Amino acid sequence: MSHTLEFKAELKQLLHLITHSLYSHPEIFLRELISNASDAINKIKFDSLSKEELLENNKDWKIKIIPNKEAGTLTVSDNGVGMSRDEVVENLGTIAKSGTRAFVDMLKNQQAQNRPELIGQFGVGFYSSFMVADKVTVLSRPAGDPKNAVRWESDGQGQFTVESAEKSTRGTDVTLHLKTECKDYLEPFTLRSIVRKFSDFIEHPIVMDVEKEDENKNKTVTEETLNSRKAIWLRNKSEVTPEEYAEFYKLISHDDEPPAKVIHYTAEGAREFRVLLFVPAHKPMELEWGEPKSGLRLYIQRVLIMERCEQVLPMYLRFIRGVVDASDLPLNVSREILQQDPQLEVIRKNVVRNVLQGLEAMKNTEYEKYVTLYKGLGTILKEGTQDWANRDKVADLLLFESMKTPKGEYTTLAKYVESMPPDQNEIYYLIGESREEIEHSPYLESFRAKGIDVLLLTDPIDEFAIPNLGQYKGKHIRAVDRGDLDDKKEEKPEEDASFEPLLAFLKDKLPEVRDVRLSKRLTESASVLVADAGAVTAHFERLMQRFGRDAGDDAGKRVLELNPHHAAVVAMCDLFAKDANDPRIEDYGRLLYDQAVLAEGSKLKYPSAFAKRINDLLVKDAKG
Ligand code: ADP
Ligand code: MG
């Protein structure tokens, strides 16, 4: 009995786009169908490791391409895992996958309307058939279940039908009823070249029957294998051309640009494994949205075991794409058990070390390329400051603007430390919203006066990543808007004592601050707010507010520092000495506090009170 079902609404939208947009590379439909067939074969190969009977003695893995000129159809047939009726309805009638979902979400923002070639990048896979076909029939039979074959059919217009069917062998046949203008996809020449272009590295044979004519015009049919199949990571580095690497990279990454760097080696020792990794030239599209996922495929003896193996490549390297093929890992255990195999840890250490070395080499020898990559991916890389074992290597990969770098140019921690004056013991940084904002911050005054460089950071993650680092080459890394500065050599000036009563008075009148003290960091400004060593800075507090979080009740309380050399502060001190009850002192104290709030980039709580105080002063001054 045949049932007619509706596509889910989002899928209708997607299909509409696919069939009505002018699509620049319709031939990728074949890549998508072949990749599904290959996935299906990998699945049954994997499942059969623990359940041999699923194979039904058919281990001749194959993807067949069958053009039929009379019928005007093209069939892609596999002996993979197959689908049951429920699976067909689920997999081909709804959008369950996160990648496809992200694509559909993007459609809603209309962005994709202009760039329909994105379809390929998202692997909206199966549905790309409707670019070239006005009807698609899927005949499938699940492995180990001979009686439950199913036929699915749709014109891609909003509905599909499913019915029970007969199929003698396991696997799936996808038959495209080609549109009149797409009949070229029945030509062996065309099919051969598309397969070479997009699917050459697929490990299973992709075959097609071709008719050959001998001298006597006798026709014979032979099966031709269209792809070279050689798993590129198993080949010798010296035998692989840059073009081949680039093709393979495209195949696994859906990135249109060639990779910035190839890391290809065989790890030898107690255990051998092959590694082929790619550093992208820019931030991969996939990382712009959706859940973060690792980009490493784990193979064991050429069987794909895990598509996204976080155990081997940690999340902060999720922009790396590639393959690890381990020959000694146990094949026939469940993924859960495999994940606990100590050898995975050995592989992980090795792979991470090599990736970090590769990035370091890129930074040193291909700096421009590295900078481009860093601009897109630095934020992700900084997550690696949590990787204890590799923290120093990650630290070496970070780029920073500083007071001494021109805007848009970078220094590194190594360079910073190298050019530190001998008596400087710490690495200084300041975080804020933009370089312009922090460059004008009063926190930098004394540093500028002494010619000490300060790293200027503007990435929100810096608030977490840089404190994570803690130190670099034995030098403490320190925020300049936090705590006492390391100036122990300088004696406390004598005159400080004369300010004490005023400081105590202001502390009492300004409950907003934790303390009031004299500053060593100011040369021009009269006042500044600083966070105590363990407390949160103004930038961090604003960041948390942006994420709708409170940094904590008392957390925002900072220390008000006054510049003892500033005329305004000196004048106040004199005033206080003459008459401690002068009502102006509290007013002036508030003004200094408000200035400091504005200077750290925060908002005044009572802007009108601030304006009134300024205006009162103005009136007094004008009346002279
Ligand atoms: P993706 O391959 O990225 O998951 P597709 O749109 O290409 O997305 O395919 C959707 C789903 O349909 C697949 O995930 C798979 O479950 C199923 N499928 C498609 N083709 C086949 C096939 N030849 N054999 C078995 N399952 C398939
Ligand atoms: Mg697919």
Side-chain angles (χ1 to χ4, degrees):
M1 241 250 313
S2 160
H3 286 272
T4 302
L5 298 166
E6 292 274 322
F7 284 119
K8 288 273 155 25
E10 310 167 304
L11 189 47
K12 276 192 202 166
Q13 219 186 337
L14 178 69
L15 284 163
H16 185 86
L17 176 83
I18 289 172
T19 45
H20 291 85
S21 298
L22 245 173
Y23 183 55
S24 46
H25 302 287
E27 75 267 20
I28 63 110
F29 81 90
L30 192 57
R31 173 189 77 189
E32 295 299 325
L33 296 183
I34 288 173
S35 123
N36 286 350
S38 171
D39 288 349
I41 292 175
N42 284 339
K43 258 182 225 153
I44 184 66
K45 261 178 105 169
F46 182 81
D47 291 350
S48 67
L49 295 172
S50 50
K51 257 180 129 180
E52 169 116 40
E53 62 275 19
L54 287 177
L55 292 180
E56 302 164 43
N57 288 322
N58 173 354
K59 272 172 54 162
D60 183 20
W61 317 113
K62 217 170 255 187
I63 301 166
K64 282 190 189 156
I65 296 190
I66 309 157
N68 181 334
K69 285 193 181 166
E70 287 81 67
T73 59
L74 178 68
T75 299
V76 176
S77 167
D78 66 65
N79 57 354
V81 70
M83 286 179 276
S84 67
R85 182 196 163 99
D86 286 351
E87 284 164 341
V88 164
V89 171
E90 171 68 21
N91 296 339
L92 307 181
T94 58
I95 300 181
K97 279 189 321 146
S98 57
T100 314
R101 177 162 293 285
F103 182 80
V104 171
D105 288 345
M106 200 179 62
L107 284 189
K108 290 186 185 134
N109 306 332
Q110 303 291 310
Q111 281 165 291
Q113 242 83 349
N114 311 322
R115 289 198 59 194
E117 71 267 30
L118 286 176
I119 292 169
Q121 304 203 3
F122 280 84
V124 186
F126 172 77
Y127 311 105
S128 57
S129 314
F130 290 105
M131 290 188 297
V132 298
D134 39 33
K135 187 166 83 178
V136 177
T137 310
V138 177
L139 180 62
S140 195
R141 205 213 88 184
D145 196 357
K147 295 215 184 66
N148 277 319
V150 59
R151 178 181 290 104
W152 177 102
E153 198 161 78
S154 177
D155 58 5
Q157 297 292 314
Q159 293 179 331
F160 60 90
T161 60
V162 271
E163 60 189 337
S164 306
E166 298 281 318
K167 189 174 185 301
S168 58
T169 53
R170 168 193 80 223
T172 304
D173 299 345
V174 178
T175 299
L176 310 186
H177 305 262
L178 293 171
K179 294 177 183 172
T180 337
E181 67 273 22
C182 296
K183 294 288 190 295
D184 190 39
Y185 296 118
L186 297 172
E187 298 299 333
F189 174 82
T190 309
L191 293 167
R192 209 178 273 130
S193 69
I194 300 175
V195 170
R196 287 250 173 81
K197 182 165 170 204
F198 292 112
S199 313
D200 197 48
F201 299 107
I202 294 280
E203 61 207 282
H204 313 295
I206 303 167
V207 302
M208 180 168 66
D209 284 346
V210 284
E211 253 184 17
K212 292 231 167 84
E213 234 175 57
D214 61 17
E215 312 88 73
N216 310 321
K217 304 241 166 197
N218 289 328
K219 288 182 182 173
T220 50
V221 174
T222 52
E223 189 176 79
E224 183 185 321
T225 301
L226 307 180
N227 55 333
S228 74
R229 297 181 59 204
K230 184 118 188 202
I232 190 169
W233 60 90
L234 297 182
R235 281 161 60 184
N236 252 333
K237 208 170 160 175
S238 57
E239 293 163 12
V240 188
T241 65
E243 292 72 30
E244 286 176 307
Y245 279 131
E247 276 306 322
F248 180 65
Y249 169 70
K250 274 186 204 175
L251 187 78
I252 61 170
S253 69
H254 300 301
D255 185 354
D256 280 339
E257 268 181 64
K261 188 175 181 68
V262 179
I263 302 170
H264 187 185
Y265 63 95
T266 304
E268 277 154 18
R271 314 271 179 174
E272 188 186 291
F273 51 92
R274 304 266 185 157
V275 180
L276 173 57
L277 302 171
F278 299 94
V279 181
H282 59 108
K283 187 173 182 179
M285 195 76 76
E286 188 190 86
L287 297 185
E288 299 283 357
W289 46 68
E291 281 164 55
K293 286 183 198 149
S294 172
L296 187 114
R297 300 179 175 206
L298 178 69
Y299 284 76
I300 299 179
Q301 297 163 31
R302 297 181 68 177
V303 179
L304 180 64
I305 303 296
M306 271 183 252
E307 267 225 77
R308 298 180 164 280
C309 187
E310 248 174 73
Q311 283 77 17
V312 170
L313 203 60
M315 291 308 282
Y316 71 93
L317 296 173
R318 60 185 177 272
F319 51 90
I320 303 287
R321 293 278 169 278
V323 169
V324 167
D325 194 333
S327 39
D328 308 326
L329 279 171
L331 248 177
N332 44 358
V333 296
S334 74
R335 283 168 221 226
E336 288 67 32
I337 292 176
L338 180 68
Q339 285 176 14
Q340 289 154 22
D341 192 297
Q343 212 203 132
L344 270 191
E345 180 61 17
V346 174
I347 297 178
R348 190 186 65 83
K349 280 195 181 137
N350 174 288
V351 167
V352 171
R353 192 180 67 231
N354 278 282
V355 170
L356 295 177
Q357 266 168 14
L359 291 172
E360 180 68 28
M362 205 175 148
K363 189 191 78 184
N364 297 330
T365 58
E366 299 172 291
Y367 186 69
E368 305 280 289
K369 262 196 199 174
Y370 184 75
V371 168
T372 310
L373 180 76
Y374 190 85
K375 282 184 179 156
L377 295 165
T379 305
I380 294 176
L381 191 61
K382 283 177 195 165
E383 293 171 20
T385 54
Q386 290 187 53
D387 180 356
W388 272 167
N390 295 294
R391 210 170 32 165
D392 292 348
K393 291 192 188 111
V394 171
D396 274 325
L397 292 172
L398 305 182
L399 302 180
F400 303 94
E401 288 196 38
S402 82
M403 282 211 291
K404 294 191 177 166
T405 61
K407 186 174 162 56
E409 288 179 31
Y410 302 98
T411 184
T412 58
L413 288 172
K415 280 191 207 158
Y416 179 97
V417 168
E418 216 169 87
S419 50
M420 265 165 46
D423 58 340
Q424 184 184 339
N425 299 316
E426 301 187 307
I427 298 170
Y428 297 111
Y429 70 92
L430 179 59
I431 309 185
E433 248 106 289
S434 69
R435 173 158 179 157
E436 288 70 24
E437 181 207 299
I438 38 185
E439 258 186 333
H440 292 107
S441 150
Y443 302 112
L444 299 180
E445 288 173 7
S446 68
F447 292 90
R448 196 172 283 122
K450 291 183 196 153
I452 293 176
D453 201 8
V454 176
L455 303 174
L456 305 176
L457 313 181
T458 53
D459 192 348
I461 196 183
D462 290 332
E463 285 281 10
F464 307 94
I466 306 306
N468 264 343
L469 280 180
Q471 54 102 25
Y472 176 80
K473 302 221 168 121
K475 309 279 182 204
H476 191 172
I477 305 182
R478 163 80 86 99
V480 300
D481 53 352
R482 188 175 289 217
D484 249 342
L485 291 179
D486 176 51
D487 253 355
K488 294 180 194 84
K489 277 164 262 96
E490 278 177 39
E491 285 294 303
K492 233 184 173 193
E494 295 267 305
E495 63 205 348
D496 275 14
S498 60
F499 286 94
E500 292 300 340
L502 172 67
L503 300 179
F505 172 84
L506 289 178
K507 183 179 174 186
D508 188 47
K509 296 291 176 194
L510 293 169
E512 297 91 330
V513 301
R514 194 185 290 272
D515 196 4
V516 182
R517 60 184 182 221
L518 293 185
S519 184
K520 290 177 200 151
R521 57 191 103 212
L522 299 176
T523 58
E524 290 149 39
S525 305
S527 60
V528 71
L529 285 165
V530 300
D532 262 343
V536 295
T537 60
H539 178 256
F540 183 82
E541 194 180 69
R542 286 196 298 275
L543 200 66
M544 294 317 273
Q545 279 162 0
R546 213 159 68 203
F547 291 122
R549 295 231 197 104
D550 208 329
D553 253 359
D554 227 25
K557 270 201 180 185
R558 281 181 281 282
V559 174
L560 179 67
E561 287 193 356
L562 302 183
N563 178 356
H565 307 293
H566 196 282
V569 178
V570 174
M572 262 177 82
C573 192
D574 291 347
L575 207 59
F576 188 77
K578 269 184 218 136
D579 177 8
N581 295 319
D582 191 324
R584 288 176 294 179
I585 296 170
E586 184 182 345
D587 260 354
Y588 294 166
R590 290 226 147 257
L591 264 177
L592 290 182
Y593 169 74
D594 287 348
Q595 282 177 21
V597 170
L598 289 174
E600 69 169 18
S602 299
K603 279 196 182 132
L604 291 176
K605 216 167 178 182
Y606 306 107
S608 58
F610 173 72
K612 183 174 180 312
R613 271 183 219 113
I614 292 273
N615 291 339
D616 288 350
L617 274 179
L618 206 149
V619 169
K620 248 182 259 168
D621 189 55
K623 281 185 180 159

